[in-house]
Each structure stands twice: as C-alpha cells, then as structure tokens.
Amino acid sequence: MVRALDKYLREEVQRTPFCPGCGHGILLGLVLRTIEELGLDMQRMLFVSGIGCAAWIPSPNYKADTLHALHGRAIPFATGAKLANPDLKVIVISGDGDLASIGGNHLIHAARRGHDMTVVCANNMIYGMTGGQAASTTPQGSLTTTSPEGNEYPPFDLCRLVKAAGAAYVARSAIVRPYALMEYLSRALETPAFSFVEVLSPCPTQYGRRNRLDTPAGMLDQLSAACMDRAEIDPSLPLPEDRIVLGEF
Ligand code: SF4
C-alpha cells in the first residue's frame, strides 16, 4: 500500500519511536503535509533537532538532510548551517525541554538576531525521553520526577518570550487543531526571518500517567477543551489565565 506521505519518509524506517497515543506522530505528519501543500523541495531543506522525543520527528524519519544535535544545541547547529549555506531552508523541530529549557538561551538570541529559520517547538510540558523531569514549561502544581509534590514554579509563555525577543512570526497551536496548525506552519515557513510555532503535543507516558490524566484519547479531549482561539477573545480584556490561547501573536 502506498500512502500519501511515503515519498517524504525513509524506506528503512518502519515505525516511529513514539509511545502509543503520543502527539508527536501527528505533528510528524502535519509538518510533511504542510511541506507538500507549499510545494517545498525536501532536497533543499535541512531539519535540525536536539535531544528528546520530539527530536525524533525529523531524524531519522524524514527523507532529507537531518542533523540530530546535542541536547539544547539544535539552534546553534541550525544557525551555523544557515550562515554557511544561505540557500538552505532550515527548520528546527525539537521539544520544549530541548529548545526552551536547556537551549533557552539559544532560542532567545536566535529570535533577537532574526536568523532566517523556522523553529517548531513540540511542547509536551515535561522532559519526556530523559525521564519525566520538570521543564521550564511544566505547569505549576504538576507532578514530575523532580517535583513529586507538585511543580512550584510558573511556566514560560513561550510565544510571549520569543515575541519579546524579536521573532518576526510567532504562533501557538495544538495537534488537536490540525488545520490551524498547518496554516501557522505555512506562514512560518514563508517568513524570511526567524519564525516560531509552538505546538501543544501531549505526552501520555511521562506527563499524563503521573498526573492521572485519563487515557491518551482522554488527554486529547482535555487539551481540546482547554484551548481557545485568540480570535474568540475580546481584545479589550486580559487573556484568560485558565485557558490555553492559540493563534498568531
Ligand atoms: S515519553 Fe511522552 S513525549 Fe516521549 S514518546 Fe512517549 S508519550 Fe511521546
């Protein structure tokens, strides 16, 4: 059977490494569908990732040049590749622990400098692959291996952080809103400067299980219910703190 995205995937990879119910497999496909819609040539693209579950989205799955870099260092590798070969379309796909916790310094400075690349941050609100520790994006009160009585620190709002640092395009979506997410990915890929898309992608194994969040399907329902589009909000009112606001910022 030939599937629509097969031409973008390496033949030798028969299955993804993700746990059943992980959001990252959906994101893997949506990035490829966006590339297909835009008609981008994968042979002129470079995908860079760091360490963590989301870093396995491009590498080794995508049939393109992929750089699987050190933990937290995806953006410096991407910056070097872009400076050496300005014709490359450079996309970083990695997780919140990698990009915004260990690699947070690189993220804000790349946004400040305006390097021409698209950064896709799969935010599962925890360090997944490395053991379920609290990250800079973990919600207050959440249970993790390093916060067994509840995380006491407030999480970063990644979109506000990256926007304040100077990014040209910033958006947040979720794998439960695939069409909006593809629209934002398209706009980010068409931005000839630093662009950033945060994608909420649940981790049932490390986050859901510890926080007793029902089944993977139940987690998707809960995420869907928690999200609201920015367009639904009265601009004269402050953003609601009990919901996750999606949209372009
Ligand atoms: S640990 Fe979490 S983020 Fe990692 S593959 Fe499993 S479900 Fe996905």
Side-chain angles (χ1 to χ4, degrees):
M1 181 178 73
V2 177
R3 296 163 299 184
L5 299 179
D6 277 354
K7 61 184 174 187
Y8 297 113
L9 297 167
R10 291 186 190 279
E11 293 84 4
E12 59 269 37
V13 179
Q14 296 297 318
R15 50 184 294 187
T16 71
F18 309 126
C19 308
C22 177
H24 293 351
I26 296 172
L27 178 57
L28 183 156
L30 291 175
V31 171
L32 293 178
R33 285 177 198 282
T34 306
I35 286 169
E36 165 108 332
E37 277 200 6
L38 291 175
L40 295 176
D41 179 1
M42 293 272 276
Q43 297 312 308
R44 303 187 67 80
M45 300 175 79
L46 172 69
F47 295 86
V48 189
S49 56
I51 296 298
C53 299
W56 293 96
I57 291 174
S59 158
N61 300 296
Y62 290 180
K63 197 189 283 181
D65 285 331
T66 56
L67 259 178
H68 209 134
L70 304 173
H71 207 174
R73 311 295 175 235
I75 288 178
F77 276 76
T79 302
K82 183 68 184 177
L83 291 175
N85 184 354
D87 291 336
L88 268 184
K89 186 90 186 145
V90 176
I91 307 181
V92 175
I93 305 177
S94 224
D96 49 304
D98 189 62
L99 287 170
S101 302
I102 289 185
N105 199 33
H106 300 302
L107 177 65
I108 57 174
H109 288 289
R112 175 177 65 86
R113 293 179 185 135
H115 292 304
D116 179 5
M117 66 178 73
T118 296
V119 175
V120 180
C121 178
N123 185 357
N124 60 10
M125 305 186 296
I126 199 164
Y127 282 95
M129 193 186 82
T130 49
Q133 302 93 337
S136 63
T137 45
T138 302
Q140 255 175 324
S142 297
L143 303 177
T144 72
T145 51
T146 49
S147 59
E149 293 176 5
N151 177 37
E152 59 181 299
Y153 304 112
F156 272 141
D157 180 327
L158 294 183
C159 287
R160 284 173 64 189
L161 176 73
V162 177
K163 181 181 172 187
Y169 179 85
V170 178
R172 179 187 296 121
S173 192
I175 56 140
V176 290
R177 307 282 172 98
Y179 295 111
L181 172 52
M182 285 175 61
E183 203 177 308
Y184 300 155
L185 289 172
S186 293
R187 293 205 188 113
L189 287 167
E190 288 178 326
T191 300
F194 190 89
S195 55
F196 179 80
V197 181
E198 177 185 355
V199 183
L200 301 168
S201 178
C203 167
T205 300
Q206 294 287 15
Y207 190 89
R209 202 163 42 106
R210 265 192 195 85
N211 289 279
R212 306 201 180 284
L213 286 182
D214 200 2
T215 60
M219 280 186 80
L220 295 181
D221 288 340
Q222 289 168 19
L223 175 62
S224 202
C227 289
M228 71 183 299
D229 290 321
R230 198 165 182 231
E232 296 170 36
I233 301 167
D234 182 342
S236 62
L237 298 174
L239 295 176
E241 292 189 359
D242 57 338
R243 304 285 295 277
I244 303 170
V245 180
L246 309 182
E248 295 171 302
F249 296 89

